[in-house]
Each structure stands twice: as structure tokens, then as C-alpha cells.
Amino acid sequence: MSRDEKHALLSFLAGCADRVFELQQAMTALQGLGPDNGGDGEQKKAEYLESWLRSFGIDDIEHVDAPDSRVSSGKRPNLIVRVPGRTDRTLWILGHLDVVPAGEESLWRSDPWTVTRDKNDPDLIYGRGVEDNQQAVVCGCLLAAALKEKGIVPDMGLGLILVSDEETGNAYGIQHIFRERPNFVSKNDIVLVPDSGSADGAFIETAEKGILWMRVEVEGLQCHASRPDEGKNALKAAAAMILGASDVEASFTARDPLFAPARSTFTPTKHEANVPNVNTIPGKEVFYVDCRVLPCYSLDEVLSAFRLLAEKVAAQYGVSVTVEKFMEEPAAAPTAENSAVVTGLKKAVKEVLGVECRCGGIGGSTVAVNFRERGIPAAVWALIFENCHAPNEAARLSFAVKEAQVFASMLFND
């Protein structure tokens, strides 16, 4: 009986491309930019999704919202959605509601906040968030609605975790849920995070590097550019710090073939504005370094190495240099390849896509680490181009359908 139900479910999902487009179109227009990215949060997107799910008779929707006075609603929404199965085990699918800004809109071929279909390939859509991470949200909602619409009760229950704040640190998202509901996921449950992967479906992410974002502040002495000897040029000292990041990276010599790249990476990124005019030597500079650190190193080792560089630069240029943690996410133990989530995912991908999967690690960050550090194995897998945060972010309608079919297969024990 369960095999027949599974096949009926997979067949039904195969015809849901228009439903995928409907969800993508609505969510993209609602944006979901967090306040750190200049937006008003994810509340409208969460309200839309809750209404959509309830229209299919899905009523077990729990709010674990995080207070945040920076947004007009006063809260950052986090939804836990449950569709029961025959057993007390649950297959959890996690998607995040927030997206990153569009960036320079002149680089987009269309309005980033309006989903558009490719003229030559109508399966291909463009819009900010369509891959990162709306596709994960869509495939979970698609599957939940299909179970209700077809009246199918699978062996495992389906759980959706729809969180805020993934793009800016998770404090108002999954970390808030774990603080408020520390045991909402059982050790026997299966956790999937469709937030990294490949276009062919052959890659399962089982490990992530540690992440350290550092804020570097250089204090010199501002003066007129025609009299440089009267000041202390903070920009020159900051440049020495930025160039020195490569030397620090080279000193961390470990390599791990599980990851690509196989080394730790220390990359200067954001730079804050300094003086507004050309003929003033800046007395203060602030920039940031994004470090992706192999699990064999502690984040404090990296911080200490940059503080040592700061001492040398400060002495050379007669300035003060401070290096502080801006955000950190230590690496967690990898998910074992023989864990239930990985073996079940491999089997389902083989059944639906005919693809043999390989496991590996990434330098990016997903919410999977929040489960792994609590001893809950989590796998990260998706059918995606990996063009998140880029102009003309793209996804395929068929990717979401196939993802939903893979996850549907995992709900059954045959």
C-alpha cells in the first residue's frame, strides 16, 4: 500500500510546475530582507506562506517568533509546520525566508523582485531569492500540500522549519528556535537543509568550515593631503592589513580534500566609507575579513594570527589597529556517511534522478551546523546552480519539483 501511495505522490508532484511558479512569484515580490540588509524583515512572506498552507488544510503550524524592534512587525517569524505520518519519526525540511539585497540592479537583465521566465527556456526563472533559499521553501510546501490534497499518510511525518535571519547570523532564526524549543527535533528524526548542492543532484554536503567574520579598525591622524607628514594615513595602514591577510592565510598550511578549496581562506570584503573628499588623508579606516576555517583549527587561532599582524602594522605605520570578532560559527563534527539521513537521501536520489551521490564539505554556511553541533545529523542537498547572491539569480521550476519528489520518496520505508 505504501509503495502505491508513494508512486501516486511522485506522479502528482511531477505536474506541479505551475504551483512552483506561483509560490516563487509571490515570495520574490515580498522580498524578505532583514533589517541588517536594509529591509523590514520576513513577516509578510511568512504570512503569505501560512495562509497558503492553511488553504490545503495544514493547521499544525507553530510560531516561534523572535522579538526584533528594528522591524515594523516587532518580530522575526519562525514557523514549525507538521504533517503527521504513521510513525513518530519526522523528516524535517528547513528553508529560510530571508534573502540578500539585489545589489547593483543595472547588472540584472530584469527586475530582481519580479520573477521572470527565460524566453528560450520557460523552465528557467530569474529573481532574487529564487534559489537562495525560496526553492527549499517551495519544495517543502509543495510536498506538504500534495500529502493533504491526495489524502496520503506516509510512514514518516513531514516537518517544515521556515526560519528568519539565516543570511545575517541566525540569532533571530534557528538559534532562537533552539533556545525556545530545544527538543523539537528528535534524535531519530531526519533533517534536510536544501541550501547547497549541484545541478545534477550528485553532491551531498556533510561538513562545513568554521566561519569567523572580523572587524578591523585602524586609527591614525587625519590631515590635509598636501601635508601628509602631519598626519598618520589610516588607509595605507589598512592596505597593509588587507595585503597581509594573504600571508596569514599561507601560515595555516593544513589541507582537507573533503572541501573545495581544501584550505582555510581569509578574504577581505566590506570596506566602510572614510573621508568624503580627495584632498584629506583619512584618520580612520574600517574593513572586514571573512574567514572560512578548516575544522582542524580553532577560530581563536585565526583571531590571534590577525591580532599579531595588527601589532606589526601598528608599529610600522604609527597607528592603532584593533581586530574584533564580528560574527563566528565554529565548525561542527561532520555528518557521517552511514547516517540515516545520508543513506536515505542517497537511495531517494538514485530512485528519482538515477544519480549516484558523493559526499563532501563546503566553505559556505548553512543552518545544518546548528543541528550537527547538537548531535543531530543533518544533510545539505539541493538541485541548484549555486548562483546565490549573484545578479540574475536563477533556478529551474523542475528543480523544485524533483527535490520535492526526492523528499517524498524518503517519507516511505519501502
Side-chain angles (χ1 to χ4, degrees):
M1 180 64 177
S2 63
R3 179 175 288 273
D4 292 340
E5 287 181 322
K6 181 172 78 169
H7 289 162
L9 183 59
L10 295 180
S11 178
F12 179 79
L13 288 167
C16 287
D18 288 344
R19 190 169 285 179
V20 174
F21 185 77
E22 170 198 339
L23 284 165
Q24 287 277 26
Q25 192 174 41
M27 285 194 292
T28 301
L30 293 171
Q31 298 191 8
L33 286 166
D36 288 322
N37 280 323
D40 193 38
E42 307 87 349
Q43 183 64 24
K44 290 181 180 179
K45 187 180 284 190
E47 289 173 353
Y48 166 78
L49 290 169
E50 181 172 359
S51 176
W52 192 90
L53 289 166
R54 289 189 184 278
S55 73
F56 290 93
I58 300 167
D59 294 321
D60 191 347
I61 301 177
E62 179 183 4
H63 283 258
V64 192
D65 300 338
D68 190 345
S69 61
R70 299 174 298 167
V71 295
S72 61
S73 66
K75 59 187 177 182
R76 309 290 290 280
N78 298 296
L79 306 181
I80 300 175
V81 182
R82 295 176 175 90
V83 180
R86 295 189 181 100
T87 68
D88 60 359
R89 295 186 72 201
T90 300
L91 169 67
W92 294 99
I93 299 172
L94 192 144
H96 63 83
L97 302 173
D98 59 325
V99 300
V100 296
E104 178 52 61
E105 294 197 15
S106 66
L107 299 176
W108 287 76
R109 59 173 59 94
S110 58
D111 178 4
W113 303 111
T114 301
V115 171
T116 58
R117 292 174 112 144
D118 190 282
K119 294 179 180 178
N120 300 315
D121 184 357
D123 184 51
L124 188 63
I125 59 173
Y126 301 96
R128 175 55 84 222
V130 293
E131 178 177 272
D132 183 21
N133 186 234
Q134 290 172 187
Q135 184 171 296
V137 176
V138 168
C139 75
C141 290
L142 204 66
L143 179 52
L147 287 170
K148 284 292 189 178
E149 203 164 357
K150 299 300 291 182
I152 293 173
V153 180
D155 296 315
M156 274 196 291
L158 173 66
L160 309 182
I161 311 168
L162 307 179
V163 299
S164 295
D165 193 36
E166 191 274 347
E167 296 291 0
T168 49
N170 292 306
Y172 297 88
I174 190 62
Q175 292 176 5
H176 176 77
I177 292 180
F178 273 119
R179 285 192 296 269
E180 297 295 317
R181 304 284 190 278
N183 301 311
F184 83 101
V185 173
S186 164
K187 292 292 179 69
N188 292 322
D189 291 346
I190 288 179
V191 178
L192 290 166
V193 181
D195 201 14
S196 184
S198 60
D200 61 3
F203 179 68
I204 299 174
E205 186 259 273
T206 56
E208 297 173 16
K209 294 177 181 177
I211 299 177
L212 173 64
W213 292 353
M214 295 180 297
R215 181 182 185 274
V216 181
E217 181 175 314
V218 180
E219 286 278 2
L221 180 63
Q222 181 175 309
C223 69
H224 196 284
S226 66
R227 298 184 294 277
D229 295 343
E230 295 180 5
K232 295 178 180 179
N233 195 323
L235 179 57
K236 289 177 67 175
M241 283 291 299
I242 291 170
L243 292 174
S246 296
D247 296 328
V248 176
E249 180 179 307
S251 70
F252 286 77
T253 57
R255 299 293 183 266
D256 187 339
L258 187 66
F259 298 94
R263 69 186 189 280
S264 298
T265 59
F266 307 148
T267 308
T269 54
K270 178 181 176 180
H271 178 265
E272 294 185 1
N274 54 17
V275 293
N277 52 305
V278 175
N279 60 339
T280 296
I281 287 176
K284 180 178 179 179
E285 292 287 341
V286 177
F287 70 94
Y288 298 80
V289 184
D290 183 324
C291 303
R292 307 296 167 128
V293 185
L294 291 176
C296 63
Y297 296 117
S298 74
L299 301 185
D300 284 338
E301 288 180 82
V302 177
L303 183 65
S304 295
F306 271 91
R307 284 177 171 168
L308 182 60
L309 173 64
E311 291 176 9
K312 295 177 180 178
V313 170
Q316 180 179 356
Y317 290 91
V319 298
S320 67
V321 184
T322 58
V323 181
E324 302 295 340
K325 294 179 182 178
F326 186 72
M327 190 277 287
E328 62 177 334
E329 187 72 72
T335 295
E337 287 198 38
N338 63 355
S339 62
V341 63
V342 174
T343 57
L345 181 55
K346 283 184 174 181
K347 179 182 177 183
V349 171
K350 178 67 174 178
E351 178 185 26
V352 175
L353 302 179
V355 172
E356 298 283 353
C357 289
R358 61 182 176 83
C359 294
I362 63 169
S365 173
T366 74
V367 295
V369 69
N370 294 274
F371 294 89
R372 291 172 183 151
E373 67 188 10
R374 289 168 172 82
I376 302 170
V380 180
W381 177 87
L383 284 165
I384 56 177
F385 295 119
E386 287 282 21
N387 65 170
C388 58
H389 298 204
N392 304 303
E393 181 179 348
R396 290 195 175 277
L397 302 178
S398 58
F399 281 177
V401 168
K402 290 174 181 175
E403 276 188 27
Q405 288 178 310
V406 167
F407 300 151
S409 176
M410 294 178 71
L411 291 172
F412 296 88
N413 295 329
D414 61 352

